[in-house]
Amino acid sequence: MTRRSCAIYGVGIVCASLLVIGISLIVAQVFQTLIHNRLKKEITLTEGSRVFETWKNPPPPVFMQYFFFNVTNPDDFLDGAKPIVSQVGPYTYREYRAKENVTFVDNGTRVSAYQPKTFVFLPERSVGDPDDDMITTINIPAVAVMNKVKDSFWKSSMVSIWMNSLNVGMFMTRSVNELLWGFKDPLLSRIHPMNPEIDEYFGLMYKKNGSNDGEFVYHTGEADFMDYGRVATFKGESKLSLWTSEQSNMINGTDGSAFHPLLSKTERLYIFSPDLCRSIFMEFEKDVKVKGLPAYRFTPPRDVLASKEENPANEGFCVSPKECLGTGLLKVSVCRKGAPVVTSFPHFYLGDEKYSNAIEGLDPVREHHQTYLDLNPTTGVPIRASKRAQINILINRISGFPKTKSLNETIFPVMFINETVVIDDVSAAKLHKLLLMVSLVSNFPLVLVGLGAILLLVFIGLIVCECKQKMAVTRIENTVELKAVVWFVTRHFFSQHDAATLFFTVIFVTSC
């Protein structure tokens, strides 16, 4: 056997081996299982894991934007006219949220932490000066006090007299800074000496700069990767006691900062939000890309804040049968000291149209008012997010308070927030490298199949060349034999026949 034949057979054997091994690995998913198991081990809340330090101190900057609804016709509204508001904002703050007191509990299967939030004003990202810009809005402290005492004739009469003497009305005009971080309210100051539990200061973000929501205990995900980052307890409790059903009081999902790897488009992601006093869920909407990174976009569907008629499971979020609001609203007075606070998506997005139509100046638009999470499906890492929520006050006619005599029940918008984060360039580069490694390892069997296919083409080419070479050798051998025959015939006939006979004989032989 020649060296050429050995090379051809060698190529054929290697080609067949690569194809068989590659196809077998693809069918068995050996490398994909290997890399998935590695990801499940690396993405855990344990010391030394790939994600632990970034979980404790997230590097991407978080920005909190505040938008206010300035009321332009407060007197006309009190006389029964439709309220008119204009949106003012954003007033943007950089939010710092490093976790503190991180401690492993339950033999390292869980980790506890506090997450204080600190806000620093960013004038370059804001529309004005929060100390100078004034906003006219519903007098939330007054409305809260009126609702608190409305069932007592004597208390309501006393509060009504105080409001008149202090010139406190249904609306107030305060600076953005006062509305956010607090001011000394005259009505609350009058009540405080008699009821020290009532703070004389009020602000939508009062005492929240530098404070935390309470202790969270998270599953590390070491026992089950699906539990990675899931909240086990909040303030020492594994469930809430605010709502009227077991399902509504469940603490489901993560805190929104971490999600398990290997996400599926068909799954429902749960997030527990202390601000909403409940868990919400999000569903897959579409594929997106952020800084070249693939991501699944998850958004809360209409069912999350649907009425009990649309979604019977939401009946448990009704504080009482009389306080069951329509689609798009959630009354959170149970965790706001009884104040008639109602949350929704901005501009009542995903809510009944009657709520946005009741206020002139609102225009719900998905691009501006939708909450979404863009998660890398392989690692579960959030690479872009926008949490949007609106604070509203439920106002209506309250007996004992003449100032409310012309009011109809209205969900009045006060402010909405837009909390955003986008993965930073350094973290994006690290994630790109990780995904490249995952892709190479997962697709290694395809590389083997590809190499096998290339060698198959080479093998086929060598076979074709070999056949052509053999055909060429055969032609040469036939030509040599033909020449020998012609020479023999010529010699034989030259001696026995004349020239003409020789000529025709040669022509006959060569034609054969």
Side-chain angles (χ1 to χ4, degrees), residues 117-151:
K117 297 179 182 179
T118 305
F119 302 89
V120 178
F121 181 64
L122 301 177
E124 68 277 7
R125 288 174 172 258
S126 305
V127 296
D129 189 337
D131 286 319
D132 297 334
D133 294 355
M134 308 300 288
I135 302 294
T136 298
T137 187
I138 285 290
N139 191 334
I140 300 175
V143 173
V145 171
M146 287 189 289
N147 277 276
K148 194 76 172 177
V149 302
K150 65 182 179 181
D151 295 328

Side-chain angles (χ1 to χ4, degrees), residues 304-326:
V304 170
L305 296 181
S307 66
K308 65 177 183 178
E309 288 77 22
E310 285 189 37
N311 184 6
N314 283 344
E315 186 173 1
F317 293 111
C318 300
V319 179
S320 69
K322 293 182 180 179
E323 296 180 280
C324 228
L325 303 177

Side-chain angles (χ1 to χ4, degrees), residues 354-375:
K354 66 180 181 180
Y355 299 119
S356 57
N357 291 338
I359 312 291
E360 188 171 332
L362 299 185
D363 182 24
V365 178
R366 185 178 69 174
E367 288 75 15
H368 302 310
H369 305 136
Q370 180 189 50
T371 291
Y372 64 84
L373 267 172
D374 294 339
L375 305 174

Side-chain angles (χ1 to χ4, degrees), residues 232-293:
T233 63
F234 173 62
K235 293 183 177 179
E237 301 293 335
S238 59
K239 63 179 181 179
L240 305 175
S241 57
L242 303 171
W243 309 106
T244 59
S245 72
E246 285 291 325
Q247 182 178 353
S248 300
N249 281 317
M250 292 176 66
I251 297 177
N252 294 323
T254 72
D255 63 356
S257 64
F259 296 88
H260 68 81
L262 309 177
L263 291 168
S264 167
K265 293 181 179 180
T266 58
E267 68 182 298
R268 178 178 281 182
L269 300 181
Y270 284 88
I271 299 172
F272 173 68
S273 171
D275 294 329
L276 296 178
C277 314
R278 60 164 289 189
S279 295
I280 66 170
F281 60 87
M282 308 180 82
E283 295 176 346
F284 173 80
E285 182 183 276
K286 62 181 178 180
D287 289 287
V288 295
K289 274 201 170 185
V290 182
K291 296 186 177 181
L293 296 167

Side-chain angles (χ1 to χ4, degrees), residues 401-422:
F401 295 94
K403 295 177 184 291
T404 68
K405 63 181 180 180
S406 299
L407 295 181
N408 298 314
E409 183 174 285
T410 306
I411 309 297
F412 211 100
V414 176
M415 173 191 79
F416 82 82
I417 63 170
N418 180 25
E419 190 176 23
T420 62
V421 61
V422 179

